[in-house]
Amino acid sequence: MNDLDALTDALPGIRAGIVITLELTAGGALLAFVLALALGTTARAHSLVVRGPARVLIEFFRGTSLLVQIFWLFYVLPLLGYQLDPVFCGILALGLNYGAYGAEVVRGALNSVPKAQAEAAVALGFSPWQRLRRVLFPQAWALMLPPLANLLVHLLKGTAVASYITLQDLTFEIGKLRQSTGDTLFAFGIGLLIYFVIAYLLSLGMNLLEARAKHKLGRGPSMREVLRLAPDRSLGTVAGGQKVAP
C-alpha cells in the first residue's frame, strides 16, 4: 500500500482526531479564559486574603508540567475514588495550565493601563466593579489579545498530550498513519500541515478580535476596513475630482 492509499484509508480517523483536538482546544481555551480573568483580577487585589490564594494557584499550575497534571488527573484521581471522562480530563488539565499563564497576561495588561484612568474613574464616583468593567478592562483587552493569541496556539499544540490518556486525537491518528505507511516523514508532514492550518485560522480570528478592540478605542481601522480587499481611495480625492496624496 502506497502513502496516498494509506492516507485515503486513514482520512475518517484523521477527521475524528481533528474533532477531538478541536473539542479539547475550544473547551480548554474557554476554561483557561475564565480562570485567567478570575485569577488575573484577584491577583491585583490589595487584600492578601484575596491575592494570596490566586498567586498560589497561578504559580502552582505554571510551575508544574502539563503532562504531569493530565497524568495526575487521569491516573491518580481514580485511586482516590474519582474517575474523570478522558475528554473532560484533557479540557480540565489544559484549562488549568494555560489559565495560569493567561492570568499573568490579564494582570499585566490591567496594570499597564495608566493610573490616571483609574483615578479619573474614582473621581467620577465609579464603584470598583464599574472601574474594572467600563474603564480598565476595555483598554487592557486590546493589550492582552496578542499574548492570549500566542497562548491559544500553544494550547492547541498542548492537546497532543491527550493521546497519553487514551484519546484518539489528531496526534494519535497521525501515529497510526505512520505505522501503516512506515513513512515517518510523510505521516508527520501531514500532521504538521493540519496543525499549521488550524493554528493559522485561530491566529487570524484573534487578529480580527484585536483589530476590533483597538478600533473601539480609536486606535485602528474598523473590522470592515480590515476585511476589505480593495484599498480605500476615499482620502485620495477632493472637491472637483482632483486626486491628492493621502
Side-chain angles (χ1 to χ4, degrees), residues 63-130:
T64 53
S65 167
L66 172 61
L67 187 60
V68 173
Q69 291 170 14
I70 200 169
F71 274 16
W72 201 92
L73 290 172
F74 190 74
Y75 293 111
V76 177
L77 279 186
L79 301 177
L80 304 177
Y82 300 96
Q83 181 70 51
L84 299 180
D85 175 76
V87 173
F88 177 75
C89 180
I91 289 174
L92 184 60
L94 290 166
L96 290 172
N97 187 270
Y98 288 96
Y101 286 98
E104 286 296 276
V105 172
V106 172
R107 184 184 65 84
L110 289 172
N111 288 341
S112 297
V113 178
K115 291 184 178 180
Q117 300 284 340
E119 293 171 354
V122 172
L124 291 172
F126 285 10
S127 67
W129 168 248
Q130 288 176 321

Side-chain angles (χ1 to χ4, degrees), residues 151-174:
L151 283 179
L152 180 59
V153 174
H154 281 291
L155 189 150
L156 166 66
K157 295 183 289 186
T159 60
V161 302
S163 60
Y164 291 106
I165 57 170
T166 73
L167 283 176
Q168 298 182 7
D169 68 328
L170 177 57
T171 298
F172 177 86
E173 296 296 338
I174 292 300

Side-chain angles (χ1 to χ4, degrees), residues 3 5-11 14 171-184 186-188 190-191:
D3 290 347
D5 290 337
L7 176 60
T8 301
D9 293 340
L11 281 179
I14 291 176
T171 298
F172 177 86
E173 296 296 338
I174 292 300
K176 287 176 59 178
L177 177 62
R178 183 189 65 82
Q179 292 175 356
S180 64
T181 61
D183 191 336
T184 301
F186 174 76
F188 284 105
I190 295 296

Side-chain angles (χ1 to χ4, degrees), residues 212-242:
R212 181 174 182 270
K214 289 183 176 179
H215 177 68
K216 283 192 170 184
L217 298 176
R219 300 175 184 172
S222 66
M223 290 281 287
R224 183 177 180 180
E225 293 169 334
V226 170
L227 295 174
R228 181 167 43 209
L229 297 179
D232 185 4
R233 303 183 184 278
S234 60
L235 296 179
T237 60
V238 294
Q242 296 180 338

